[in-house]
Each structure stands twice: as structure tokens, then as C-alpha cells.
Amino acid sequence: MRQGRRRLKNHVRETAQFRVRALLGFAIVVLALGGLAGWYFKLQVLDHADYARRSEANRIKPQPVVPARGIIYDRKGRILADNVPAFRLDVVPEDAGDPKALVAGLSKIVTLTAEDVARFERERKANRSFRAVTLKLRLSEEEMARFAVDQWRFPGVSVEPYLTRRYPYGALMAHIVGYVGRTDEKDIEEYGPGQALFTHTGRAGIERYYDEALRGKVGYEEVKTNVEGRALGRVGRIPATAGADLRLAVDVDLQRTMVEAFGDHDGSAVAIDPKTGEILAMASLPSYDPNLFVNGISSADYRALMDNPSRPLFNRNVLGGGPPGSTVKPFMALAGLESGLRRPGDRVFTTGEFHIPGQKRGYRDAHGGSGWVDLHKSIAASVNYYYYKLAYDMGIARLSTYMHRYGFGEPTGIDLAGENGGVVPSPEWKARNSREPWYPGETVIAGIGQGYWIATTLQLARGTAALAADGVLRRPHLARDRRDGFRSPWTPMPQPVPKRLSDNINYIRAVQGGMEGTIYDPGGTGRAMAIGASYRMAGKTGTAQRVSRKGNVSTNPHSLPLHLRHQAWFIGYAPTEDPRIAVAVMVEHGGYGGSTAAPIARKLFDGWLLGKYPEADPDAIPVTAIGARAVVAQASPTPASAARAAIPDLDAATVELFRGGPGAAR
């Protein structure tokens, strides 16, 4: 066997190859080390400020500081809505142990509802175990005393002070001031993510309309935390800006007079200053206690309100409305003058029944035939025939145009949300809401405020104030002034430029004379209300039918069941030589305006002009403005004992005013 050839190694070549590979590996290592050094240089030097900021951000957490909500006053400085210390029961789950055992033990000391427990469980599961969760939002003095004795048995449970909204006058001012409720997901969707920082959001009334101004601006404090997010201490603070204070034009004394004058009747009323458009008083009855809603109303209380057939939550002045009846006649008379179809001295012979040419059916006048009637007598004696014929001569298109000019069929612009604009009858409106054509008879009854009419008490009050102010139609408003800070001056709330009902003052004077005749003429429908008055007044009574008459037979509203009785209306102003108050009153199921609504207006006139107010309950006097502001300023950082010392008896200061007393009119 032949031996194979042996291959000789080239040591020189292998050595050279090894050197090349070693140098290449070394170069790669050097480049890698250089890149790493460069990256370290970038992190430690070039990007130091950025990463230091990020590191600090992980250690320092900003937490929002919610400001105190602005205080609401009446025109004389009496508090209508403020912030007072309250006390809640907080639980830190990781320190409290078994939740079920905890709730069972605490329920023997404090009253816990099913809603309290359900809310606690929901929030406990949604938060970290070391964060406090509220079990009960409002503790009474007795509950706090009982818990203080047994607090040692419940580790992780504490009583914490906080500010809560309070409405000292309760139901008396509910439909004006409104109320706040705890912020929910719908509020966040409507107002944006920032709304989640505020515990409460305005739900109704002034609280809702001026919510953004009242809630203020959120501040922040920087809190040092550990890796788990547990707070270790406070580093810095950017103070919150407290909400603006509002001073309303409403007078509490006149408001109480208005509510008590209704007695047991339901209805609505508005009193307004003709010279400024300021709302002096405004009631919708029955009312409700807004304090129930602040921290969440119970199911039982809410169901009681919703099941009440009189609808206490329904603001009749803003959301309601109905046929204005004869109270529309002064405005119809002015429209007749403005259109050129009538002059103040023109007379119409009334037979007691108006017939449309070519029709057999007549439109009766409740007062019967009145003979020759001019504009003055048509208003004073409320002669329907005059307005049947005027509406027919005017036509529905022109009638609708003038009524819109006078402020009907559209919102007044009051500073309350959701205002109903009402309805002025017109073929266009009927076409949108019915398949029936427009009939001439509907034009005729529109002249006396019947048919498809929907007018609110607020619209009638505004129109009456314009007649009292020689034709100047102003925006009705509740908020008079605001101030941004306790030491800042009050600044008036800006108002739009007013409009005019008519440029002819003689036309306005003619209508004013007719309204004065309502009170003082021998045949005036409101003569009884002027008995014993030391000032002169003007007005117009009205009755809006709730049931149709059968054929040509009129129905006495007092013979009907209560729920079918007509609406009683009155509009008016006083004193006639220099009007300082204009009112509109609507009494549901009240029958006739002259006997039911007019006496309420008389009490309002006496109250505002003569100072004849019902006696106030001395226990119903709320805390002073200075005292309330001091509480707001100190309550947040003050411990529970000191906060309680600031207001020694919280419950006694909370006042609920209910309607009562004998009826003002029968």
C-alpha cells in the first residue's frame, strides 16, 4: 500500500491570517466599547436633564387641589348656597381587614344603607388597597360620637372633614338656585376630562347655568411617592382659585311672600323689576329640598319626588307653559294699533257672540253683549268679542309676527338652562305637528289666548314689565353681580341691549290705560284687588280653559273637579306712575284669575312697595357672609375637631321652608 502525501503547513501565512483576525476582532471590540461609551455619555451628559426630569416625575406626583365653590347670595347679602364642613367615614382597605366583617361591625354604630355599601364595594374594587374609600358620606353628630368610642376596634377607618354644598333656604329657593350633584361619567362626556377633578357638578338652576364660574380653577400639590405610588410627603403647592361669588337680584323676603301667598295651590309666579329686568322673586310650586341631591339622593326620596303627581322637580316658569288666556289681550290690543287695524278710540259693537262670515257656529263672550266697546274697555272688562274680531281681521300670519316681536314663542334668555320657548299659533307650526289644515276658527280663539298657545309665566312677566317700562323689552335675569375673590369688588353682570315693543308711546299709553281700568273701572275684572291699597296699580286677569265647552254652553270652572279646573292668571305692575315691580301669576286649577291669582299679586305689590312681608322664622336665619367665607377658607386644612368648632351646630343651621298657611284666595 502506497503511503499518502503529507501536506506541509505554511506557518508564515497562518500567522499573518491570525494577526488580521485578531486585529479585526480587537477593532470590533474597540468600536463596541466606543459605542457603549458614547451611549453612556449621551445618557449621562447630553440627556441628563431629560432623564432627571423623568426620574423626578416618577418620584413626584402632581395631585389636584379642588377649589371651594363660589357662594350665592340674594340681593341683600343673605346666603342662598354655601360650603360648610361635613364629616365622612373613610376606610383604607389594606388596614381594615375583611370588608364584610368591617361593614357588619360598623353598621351597628352608624346607619349604613344598601346604597352606601354598594358604592363602597364598587369604589374599593376600582382603587388600590392603600387608597382611602368613602363608606358613608355624611355622619351625624350622634354617629360621630358613637364611632369615637369604638374607633380603636376598627383600624384603617377614620372620620374625615370635607366641604359640602348647603342650601340654607331649602325648598324656598330650589327652582332658582338649583343644586349640585356628584360628578359622573355623563358630566365628563359633556364638559371634558377636566370635569373629573371636581367632586360636584351643577345640576339645575343657577348652579348649573354658572357652573364654570362657580367651580373655580383647580390647583395642584406635588406629592413625593415611593415605587408603589404611596404618598410620603408634600413637596410644593400651586393654590387653587376659588369659584366666583354670585349675587342674585332675588329678595328672600319677597320670595317667601310669593310662596306663602299661594297657600295650598300649585302654580308659578314671577316678579320682575321693569327698569332693569332683574328677577325679584320666582316660584314654582310645589318645590323640593335641594340638599337631598348634594351627595346623592336616596332611592326612596327620589321615588317620592317622581311619584308626586304635582311634579315638584318640574320648574313651571322655565320648562312649563300653557294657554295664557285673556292675559294676552293687552298685547293683542297693541298689535291691533301697530298694524293700523285699530285706533284707541275705534269702537266695535259687541252682541255677545262673534260669527265668522258664512259660518253658523258662534264664539261666545262669557260677559255677554257689551254694546259699543273701545280698546280701553276691551282690556278693562275683558271683552272677548273685540279680540275675536281683531284676530280675524288681522289674520294668523300677522298675529303670529307681532306676538313673536313681543317675546312670545321664543326663550326669554333668562340665566337658567333648558328654557321652553313656548308656541305662538301659526299655520307653519300646525303643519309641523299635525296633518290638519289651518281653520279660521283657530285664528279667532288665538286672539283670546286659547287654542295652540303655549306661553310661560316668565314670558308674560317679561312682556308685562315691558308695558310698564313704556315699551322697553329687557332680558329677565337672576344674577345681578359677581366677584372673583372675597376682597374683589362686585361687578355687574353684562346684559344685552333691550328691544322695544313699539316706537309709538301713545299706543303704549292706551294699553296701560286699559290695564289700569281693569283695576279701577266699574266693570273692571280686577277691582277687588285694589281695595285698601295706598298706591295705584294696573293689570289684567285671565282664565285659560282646561276643558272644552259643549256647544254654546260655558262651564263654571268652580263646578269642575280640581284637576279639570281652568288655569287662573294675572299680570300687572305697580305703582302706575313709576312702576317698580311687574308680576305674572299662574295658579293651576285655580278657576278665575280675578279671584285666585290677583290676590297673590296684591300681596307681592304690598310686600315690595310697602314692606309687608310675612314674619320670618328666627331659627331660619343662615350664617353671615363673613362667617361663611371664614369657614370656606379654613375647613380644608383644619382637623375634624377644629372644623366642628367653626360651626358648632351644623344641623340647626340647615333650614327647610315649606309652603303652608291659609290660602290667599278662594
Side-chain angles (χ1 to χ4, degrees):
M1 184 174 179
R2 191 173 56 180
Q3 187 177 5
R5 291 183 179 181
R6 187 176 181 182
R7 195 171 182 181
L8 299 177
K9 294 183 179 180
N10 190 337
H11 294 284
V12 175
R13 186 177 177 181
E14 288 181 355
T15 302
Q17 188 179 39
F18 173 78
R19 288 176 180 173
V20 170
R21 290 177 178 177
L23 288 174
L24 182 60
F26 180 75
I28 292 174
V29 171
V30 170
L31 288 175
L33 291 175
L36 184 61
W39 183 250
Y40 280 148
F41 179 80
K42 181 178 182 297
L43 291 176
Q44 298 292 332
V45 179
L46 300 180
D47 295 338
H48 171 76
D50 180 52
Y51 285 102
R53 178 182 58 79
R54 293 188 189 184
S55 175
E56 191 69 11
N58 289 331
R59 188 177 69 93
I60 306 297
K61 301 284 187 182
Q63 290 189 356
V65 178
V66 181
R69 195 171 178 87
I71 299 177
I72 303 174
Y73 304 87
D74 86 333
R75 67 187 299 119
K76 294 178 181 176
R78 289 168 288 201
I79 294 175
L80 307 180
D82 65 348
N83 309 297
V84 295
F87 302 90
R88 65 176 183 258
L89 197 64
D90 280 1
V91 177
V92 179
E94 73 172 8
D95 298 331
D98 180 33
K100 292 184 179 180
L102 173 70
V103 170
L106 286 173
S107 62
K108 299 176 182 178
I109 300 174
V110 300
T111 303
L112 296 176
T113 66
E115 294 174 348
D116 291 332
V117 176
R119 184 182 61 250
F120 170 71
E121 288 295 328
R122 186 171 57 251
E123 294 182 4
R124 181 181 66 83
K125 293 176 181 178
N127 289 287
R128 294 189 177 183
S129 61
F130 61 81
R131 295 190 184 279
V133 178
T134 299
L135 177 57
K136 185 176 177 63
L137 279 166
R138 196 76 181 262
L139 293 175
S140 66
E141 294 183 1
E142 184 179 351
E143 288 174 328
M144 286 191 293
R146 289 200 303 264
F147 178 75
V149 174
D150 293 325
Q151 185 172 4
W152 61 273
R153 296 171 47 205
F154 301 99
V157 183
S158 61
V159 174
E160 298 294 333
Y162 70 103
L163 288 180
T164 188
R165 201 66 162 166
R166 182 188 66 160
Y167 303 102
Y169 289 97
L172 183 68
M173 307 296 295
H175 285 292
I176 295 176
V177 177
Y179 59 88
V180 297
R182 297 190 69 81
T183 300
D184 56 25
E185 294 180 0
K186 292 182 179 179
D187 299 319
I188 297 172
E189 291 177 4
E190 181 177 354
Y191 298 106
Q195 190 68 20
L197 299 176
F198 295 94
T199 59
H200 290 78
T201 300
R203 290 279 185 265
I206 290 293
E207 291 277 30
R208 177 180 176 184
Y209 191 90
Y210 292 104
D211 183 64
E212 185 175 354
L214 286 166
R215 69 192 183 199
K217 295 182 179 179
V218 176
Y220 290 91
E221 61 181 11
E222 296 177 329
V223 179
K224 185 190 301 182
T225 62
N226 60 14
V227 293
E228 295 178 345
R230 196 186 301 267
L232 301 177
R234 191 173 69 185
V235 177
R237 181 183 178 93
I238 300 175
T241 302
D245 296 333
L246 295 178
R247 183 165 61 189
L248 306 187
V250 176
D251 182 83
V252 167
D253 294 323
L254 188 65
Q255 181 77 7
R256 184 183 295 109
T257 301
M258 179 180 285
V259 170
E260 293 190 7
F262 270 83
D264 294 327
H265 290 291
D266 295 341
S268 59
V270 178
I272 188 170
D273 186 342
K275 299 178 181 178
T276 62
E278 295 175 353
I279 301 293
L280 306 175
M282 186 172 73
S284 175
L285 300 170
S287 187
Y288 62 94
D289 182 7
N291 292 290
L292 295 173
F293 290 87
V294 174
N295 288 312
I297 187 170
S298 68
S299 298
D301 288 336
Y302 186 71
R303 180 50 51 195
L305 291 172
M306 295 302 293
D307 291 344
N308 189 327
S310 293
R311 299 184 296 171
L313 296 176
F314 186 71
N315 189 335
R316 289 156 166 80
N317 286 306
V318 177
L319 306 175
S326 293
T327 56
V328 81
K329 290 176 180 177
F331 304 99
M332 282 294 301
L334 181 60
L337 299 176
E338 283 284 300
S339 65
L341 295 174
R342 297 289 187 274
R343 291 173 297 180
D346 288 349
R347 298 190 301 167
V348 175
F349 189 79
T350 65
T351 61
E353 188 170 272
F354 176 78
H355 289 268
I356 297 174
Q359 291 188 5
K360 292 183 178 180
R361 182 191 178 190
Y363 297 85
R364 295 188 61 193
D365 196 322
H367 301 286
S370 302
W372 291 103
V373 175
D374 60 6
L375 182 145
H376 179 98
K377 185 177 180 180
S378 73
I379 297 175
S382 197
V383 181
N384 286 349
Y385 186 99
Y386 183 96
Y387 295 97
Y388 289 148
K389 181 169 176 54
L390 175 59
Y392 184 77
D393 293 344
M394 185 179 296
I396 192 61
R398 191 153 37 175
L399 184 155
S400 177
T401 298
Y402 278 106
M403 292 303 107
H404 277 285
R405 182 185 300 178
Y406 301 156
F408 298 101
E410 57 190 40
T412 65
I414 190 173
D415 38 357
L416 291 175
E419 183 184 6
N420 175 25
V423 174
V424 172
S426 68
E428 294 77 17
W429 180 88
K430 187 177 181 183
R432 292 193 301 267
N433 295 273
S434 172
R435 295 182 180 181
E436 293 285 329
W438 184 266
Y439 298 107
E442 293 170 329
T443 301
V444 172
I445 63 173
I448 62 166
Q450 296 290 164
Y452 298 115
W453 264 102
I454 296 179
T456 64
T457 313
L458 187 60
Q459 289 171 333
L460 283 165
R462 183 194 187 200
T464 305
L467 292 175
D470 293 339
V472 181
L473 188 67
R474 294 182 169 89
R475 176 211 179 202
H477 55 279
L478 290 161
R480 190 181 188 188
D481 311 291
R482 72 175 278 174
R483 66 179 178 189
D484 296 282
F486 183 62
R487 292 180 175 81
S488 301
W490 289 101
T491 58
M493 303 290 284
Q495 301 300 328
V497 177
K499 305 175 183 178
R500 289 199 62 84
L501 297 182
S502 173
D503 293 325
N504 191 323
I505 190 61
N506 293 325
Y507 293 164
I508 299 292
R509 291 280 185 263
V511 174
Q512 291 173 341
M515 294 178 69
E516 196 168 353
T518 299
I519 310 298
Y520 298 103
D521 284 4
T525 57
R527 289 193 67 196
M529 73 174 296
I531 297 175
S534 59
Y535 52 88
R536 289 186 69 84
M537 62 192 82
K540 182 71 193 77
T541 61
T543 303
Q545 294 182 2
R546 294 298 300 275
V547 294
S548 301
R549 58 188 176 90
K550 296 180 180 179
N552 288 334
V553 179
S554 297
T555 303
N556 181 352
H558 292 296
S559 68
L560 295 169
L562 181 63
H563 70 283
L564 293 179
R565 292 185 183 181
H566 303 337
Q567 310 286 62
W569 286 94
F570 180 85
I571 61 172
Y573 59 89
T576 54
E577 65 276 8
D578 182 24
R580 287 186 283 152
I581 180 174
V583 302
V585 179
M586 187 276 291
V587 182
E588 292 184 1
H589 323 303
Y592 291 117
S595 60
T596 309
I600 296 175
R602 170 64 188 275
K603 290 187 177 182
L604 295 175
F605 290 159
D606 286 350
W608 191 248
L609 301 177
L610 305 179
K612 293 183 178 180
Y613 297 121
E615 269 191 42
D617 181 357
D619 294 331
I621 301 174
V623 293
T624 63
I626 296 176
R629 174 57 71 174
V631 169
V632 171
Q634 298 175 3
S636 181
T638 304
S641 58
R644 290 195 53 76
I647 297 183
D649 189 357
L650 296 177
D651 294 334
T654 304
V655 180
E656 296 178 354
L657 298 177
F658 297 94
R659 294 186 297 118
R666 302 296 181 193

